[in-house]
Amino acid sequence: MPFEALVAGCLAYVALLFGVAFAADRAAQRGHVRWLDHPAVYTLSLSVYCSAWTFYGAVGYASRSGLEFATIYIGPTIVFTGAWWGLRRLVRVARMHHVTSIADLISARFGKSNPLAALITLIAVIAATPYIALQLQSVSLSFEVFATQSPNAPKIGGGTALWVAAGLALFAILFGTRNLDADERHHGVVTAIALEAVVKLVAFLALGVFVVWGLADGPGDIVSRISSAAADPSREGWILRPDRWTALNIVSAAAVLTLPRMFQVMVVEAADEERLHVAGWAFPAYLFAMSLFVLPIAVVGAEILPADANPDLYMLTLPQASGQNFLALLVFLGGFSAATSMVVVSAIALATMISNHWLTPLWLFLRRRPAGDDPEDLRGFVLNARRLAIVAVAGAGWVYHQASGGATALAAMGLVAFTGMAQVLPAMLGGLLWRGANRMGAYAGVGIGFALWLALIFLPSIGVGSALSPGPEVDPLTFAIFLSLACNTLAFISLSIFGFPDPVERLQGLSFVNTVQPFSHSRQTRADDRAEPLLAMARRVWGADAALHYFRSRAAAQGKSGYLPDLTPGFLTGLERRLAGSVGAATAHAMIERVAGGMSLTVSDLMEVADEAQRAKEEAQRLETASAELERIARQLREANDKLTALSVQKDAFLGQISHELRTPMTSVRAFSEILSTPDLSDAERMRFAGIIHNEAERLTRLLDDLLDLSVLESGNAQIAVSGANLHDLISRALSATSAIRPERIFTIDRDIPSEHQGVITDSDRLLQVLINVIGNARKYCDAERPELKIRVDRRKKNGPQIDISDNGSGIDIARQSLIFEKFARLNEPSRAGGAGLGLAICREIMTALGGDISYLPGQGGAAFRITLPKRPPAMARTNKS
Amino acid sequence: MPERPLFLERASFRRRRLGDAARVLPVLAAIAMLLPVWWLPKAFSFATGMLALFGFWAVLILSVRLLHRALIRADAAALAETAVLGDAPGTDDATVRNDRDAL
């Protein structure tokens, strides 16, 4: 294939990428983001993980170490199987805080500490520079492969790498630093990367299919070739080492979370966490496809190509050796895509970190002026700082590439970068999952991990010092990984345990770990005229239009007209978070603090936040209690109403009944007195009729006595004649007085004589009346075949005695139990005649007057009443007092 | 503010259990990827290992896909259920968080 065609194809491809990025940016500006936000675009953009190191290097890695190459893909696969609960949460928290990079995430979590972010930026830059150099080298090497085959090709030197670096920096600057939006998304870059991901995948699969079915005889043949490699002594390196396997899986799993470019595409460029539903399985599927043919290509390449061929370039030399020029071009474009996408995204991510955590704080520090008076355009400065940083990152990669020069030193650089960024993982995971993690712990963990990584992995990789290993049988890399991560985690945890975080940090910890909106903590503003300087500051960061728009919308939300909202805590917190989206949390915090002033958060403010939450909770609790109380009262009212209704019915019935009760004897009296007035009556008849009249009059008198008695008792004017008496005598008298009621029934009386002998101080006549009434009722109404009456007296220590009188009849049904003490209760039941139904009502009034009580005892196997007496009647207490 | 429910409706319960499955899956995947190499590093290094590795990998991808689909459906069902019950509209995360402790 002519070299010129290659260069032309390459340039056309680059032009296509620029065009796609430009079109996507234009579409996004017009608001056509629907297809740009498609989960497939997001998933493909994640493939920036597969850099040239994995595209070309995986085959080389597999040639040397067999299946171990797969660890680079298996770690991320395992991480993504946890996408639903892990990554979704990470994305949600990051978007909530407008996080711009991995360093920003950790600094925001640990109290918006800029030095911590600066340290992580340092690690990222040191780890990424050789890695970027590796990408440049892979591009220039692949050019060389074609150049050496073409006789009239120009001599390839460092020039290719320089051109590539310059082109990529230009691309990153054009599409990566166009705006300084709060959400930091770059549609153009992401879309171009998604396109490159497709090219990568198609190229790799095409070559794989060609190798398996074109060069070999299908999968069976490949399997047998790999099996025969087991016997080959030169393949001894293929035997997996469990410790190394585990360590590399851990490191690659960590890297997919912490590499700046991965964080950029996975978290910063994500519109929301929904796209992880697809990416959760689609990204592992992409990795699966990218690694499926690695081992076949390595095996077939080793057999077909000469022994001295570089395994890292089998991908290109295999199709070339087979005369498949178009396939070779496709693979070349795939590798080119892998390298360029990695460099572009890394450059953007690193430039964001450098400008937000190094340059802007430095600039703000150097240009310290009276708050709010800076006329400078900070937005311009930040964008320029990023452009400069992109050039610096790409340039550093090129310089490193030129300085190192050798291929061997660069081969391991991928793993070096992975292990470097993995040192950030404990602080990141701890910060997201553990509220107790604090800044000192993060400093110590990241610092120690960084130092150990520098000494044990990074410096040996560039030929300074040598790798450390406790023994010849222990793999130095595995040892270094385990040692650095273990010390890192240990330091992080122990300093977190013994440290005490400041209030800002504790608030942020709460917000990050519990995935709740950041609190609008109560800040003390100096005066209300600070809104204007804040607007001026926001204008410097976002530009005039965006800042005015934001301020006006916030003012409108507060119900104010104009551009200056009140400096409420909510507004300040919201403003700070939006600014954080442009310049990082730490810088935004410092800027707001400087302009709005006097806002240092104290532990008492924290307590206030907690108090507010507590108050809200208590208020809710109070309302709930109040409503329960209301419900209870309503229930009581309902019961009272039911009772009143029943009583009213009773009273109506009473009026009818009492008229009847009064009229019956009256009628007899009238009738018999008329008969008496007739002259022809015998003496015997006259006596009989007079007797009837007498009896009826007595009945009337009794009824009227009862009514009178009751009304006297109810009015509280009852005369109480207190005297001492023996309870036993009273009960005996009551029994004998009632023995005349239904004398045909023989009652078994069950008494406990010894306990009855007890003196009581009360109105003994009244008490006797009560006893007679209750026992008489039992005699009247007990319907048992062998009626029994049981009387028990209980001496109570603090109060007077308690008398339980029960029979073995059918008792009183529940519906009527609450009514029996009401007046005329019996009247509802005409079948049970014999009294006016006032007896129990009178009993209750008497007992109340005596200071005691009478109540119905349910569940005693019959009707049962309990009469309780006080130690002394109230009348006596009153007399004693006066 | 209603108390956090102690027990859940059927759909929410199903969603919660699928969420548990999503938590267990990465742990199982990690164990399944690491253990064979510790036990039989030599047997796992060549063709057998490759077939086993890629076979398991494919199964893993498929199960994540099925699980995520089930989770999305369960989410929708749980939302519909809370809407039917006339509870607070469960669209926001707060609702999901509020009943986190319930079973």
Side-chain angles (χ1 to χ4, degrees), chain A residues 20 113 212 570 740 850:
Chain A
V20 165
S113 146
V212 172
L850 293 180

Side-chain angles (χ1 to χ4, degrees), chain A residues 383-430:
Chain A
L383 284 179
N384 282 330
R386 284 194 194 175
R387 290 173 187 138
L388 192 72
I390 287 175
V391 172
V393 167
W398 179 76
V399 168
Y400 190 94
H401 169 245
Q402 291 304 106
S404 67
T408 46
L410 287 177
M413 271 305 156
L415 270 183
V416 172
F418 276 33
T419 48
M421 283 318 289
Q423 303 304 329
V424 176
L425 186 76
M428 179 182 174
L429 279 189

Side-chain angles (χ1 to χ4, degrees), chain A residues 347-365:
Chain A
I348 291 175
L350 287 174
T352 306
M353 287 158 76
I354 291 172
S355 84
N356 282 358
H357 305 307
W358 285 359
L359 302 180
T360 310
L362 188 68
W363 189 79
L364 284 175
F365 176 76

Side-chain angles (χ1 to χ4, degrees), chain A residues 67 71 74 240-249, chain B residues 33-34 37:
Chain A
L67 262 185
T71 53
I74 290 173
L240 297 175
R241 305 176 63 162
D243 53 346
R244 214 175 135 86
W245 175 268
T246 308
L248 292 180
N249 268 317
Chain B
M33 287 294 189
L34 296 181
V37 179

Side-chain angles (χ1 to χ4, degrees), chain A residues 162-223:
Chain A
L162 182 61
W163 278 110
V164 170
L168 292 177
L170 180 68
F171 186 89
I173 286 170
L174 269 185
F175 298 106
T177 62
R178 175 166 281 193
N179 47 27
L180 199 54
D181 277 348
D183 66 351
E184 278 296 331
R185 298 183 62 203
H186 309 99
H187 289 289
V189 175
V190 168
T191 314
I193 285 167
L195 176 69
E196 292 192 307
V198 175
V199 174
K200 264 191 282 190
L201 186 65
V202 168
F204 207 97
L205 290 182
L207 181 67
V209 168
F210 169 71
V211 166
V212 172
W213 282 276
L215 297 179
D217 293 336
D221 182 33
I222 292 288
V223 168

Side-chain angles (χ1 to χ4, degrees), chain B residues 16-48:
Chain B
R16 198 64 53 78
R17 297 293 80 78
L18 285 170
D20 292 345
R23 284 178 175 80
V24 171
L25 191 64
V27 178
L28 288 184
I31 292 173
M33 287 294 189
L34 296 181
L35 267 192
V37 179
W38 280 93
W39 281 334
L40 299 165
K42 278 199 178 123
F44 205 73
S45 300
F46 297 97
T48 328

Side-chain angles (χ1 to χ4, degrees), chain B residues 79-103:
Chain B
L79 272 188
E81 191 170 69
T82 43
V84 165
L85 287 176
D87 226 329
T91 42
D92 54 351
D93 302 326
T95 319
V96 178
R97 260 199 315 281
N98 268 348
D99 53 14
R100 181 177 286 165
D101 298 336
L103 279 170

